[in-house]
Amino acid sequence: NAGVMQNPRHLVRRRGQEARLRCSPMKGHSHVYWYRQLPEEGLKFMVYLQKENIIDESGMPKERFSAEFPKEGPSILRIQQVVRGDSAAYFCASSRSGEGESPLHFGNGTRLTVT
Amino acid sequence: KNEVEQSPQNLTAQEGEFITINCSYSVGISALHWLQQHPGGGIVSLFMLSSGKKKHGRLIATINIQEKHSSLHITASHPRDSAVYICAVKITGSARQLTFGSGTQLTVLP
């Protein structure tokens, strides 16, 4: 029973390129959350998705960032025209339901480096 | 002021010591999580609490809803316990899943 799978584990992009981060939730989980951890800072919520729906994107920067969770396939966090300030660890988590009592399972993260 | 405050920020202990990490929050919550993050590694969920106390091996987590406070205890600490421990809360009525404390860096020396 595979856990939350994120890929790639490490991603290097030059300024102006696009970064695509993938997250496959645990089997049976239809709720996905993306978090960002900037260097030397704590985790911050970015976006909460269910299949084909964005539930809460209040933590997403207004420009260049988008997320989707299609009916088939992994959830994708897309960052267009990356800048150095986007360098961070991006974590995905999944849960069976969106209720507070539902356990969260985290992936190992994608470390994005923008050069 | 952050909604979730952890103390201490850094903690160094000798192997075998009893360790306590504290978490205070200022909002109504439906659940509180304790997470563990190893250097360069992923995040592991240790506990999810809405009341009382939970125990798993050498780890114990408690929560006092009235005082808006939770503690994570580690008994007979070991160098492999060295990690960042993060407190996170699910705010009542918020679709947002988890608001995080800044973490406690624990180092256990042999």
Side-chain angles (χ1 to χ4, degrees):
Chain A
N1 184 17
V4 178
M5 303 299 292
Q6 286 189 251
N7 68 82
R9 193 73 191 271
H10 299 275
L11 181 61
V12 179
R13 284 286 178 266
R14 282 199 286 271
R15 275 182 301 171
Q17 290 185 320
E18 178 179 287
R20 291 171 76 90
L21 288 62
R22 294 174 184 76
C23 169
S24 296
M26 278 186 72
K27 189 176 179 182
H29 287 192
S30 58
H31 297 253
V32 165
Y33 314 85
W34 285 93
Y35 302 96
R36 179 166 67 172
Q37 187 174 40
L38 292 166
E40 308 302 322
E41 292 189 22
L43 286 153
K44 293 283 192 296
F45 167 80
M46 297 185 77
V47 61
Y48 164 30
L49 309 107
Q50 290 182 44
K51 283 284 186 183
E52 300 185 276
N53 288 305
I54 296 174
I55 306 302
D56 181 354
E57 57 181 347
S58 57
M60 288 273 272
K62 294 285 184 282
E63 296 176 351
R64 303 188 296 108
F65 284 71
S66 62
E68 62 176 7
F69 188 16
K71 189 176 179 182
E72 301 292 336
S75 175
I76 306 286
L77 179 68
R78 183 179 175 213
I79 311 172
Q80 294 178 288
Q81 298 172 330
V82 295
V83 300
R84 288 225 172 96
D86 297 332
S87 296
Y90 292 83
F91 289 93
C92 167
S94 72
S95 65
R96 192 174 297 278
S97 82
E99 295 305 311
E101 289 291 327
S102 183
L104 270 184
H105 297 263
F106 285 83
N108 284 328
T110 293
R111 273 107 185 128
L112 172 65
T113 302
V114 180
T115 61
Chain B
K1 188 180 186 298
N2 293 335
E3 291 165 316
V4 182
E5 298 275 358
Q6 280 187 242
S7 63
Q9 272 193 303
N10 294 282
L11 180 58
T12 300
Q14 289 296 135
E15 183 173 356
E17 284 186 7
F18 180 83
I19 286 161
T20 296
I21 299 170
N22 296 299
C23 175
S24 296
Y25 51 92
S26 57
V27 292
I29 69 168
S30 57
L32 182 142
H33 297 248
W34 281 103
L35 310 172
Q36 181 192 55
Q37 184 176 26
H38 281 279
I43 297 169
V44 174
S45 179
L46 299 174
F47 294 104
M48 185 177 65
L49 299 161
S50 55
S51 63
K53 176 179 174 178
K54 287 191 177 180
K55 185 176 188 293
H56 181 69
R58 295 179 295 105
L59 301 177
I60 303 165
T62 63
I63 188 168
N64 185 318
I65 297 294
Q66 285 73 32
E67 294 187 4
K68 294 190 167 146
H69 181 269
S70 174
S71 292
L72 176 68
H73 305 286
I74 304 175
T75 61
S77 59
H78 190 276
R80 65 174 173 265
D81 297 326
S82 298
V84 176
Y85 291 84
I86 303 167
C87 170
V89 301
K90 170 74 159 60
I91 297 174
T92 305
S94 169
R96 173 181 300 205
Q97 196 31 292
L98 298 189
T99 300
F100 298 86
S102 55
T104 294
Q105 172 69 63
L106 171 66
T107 304
V108 182
L109 301 173

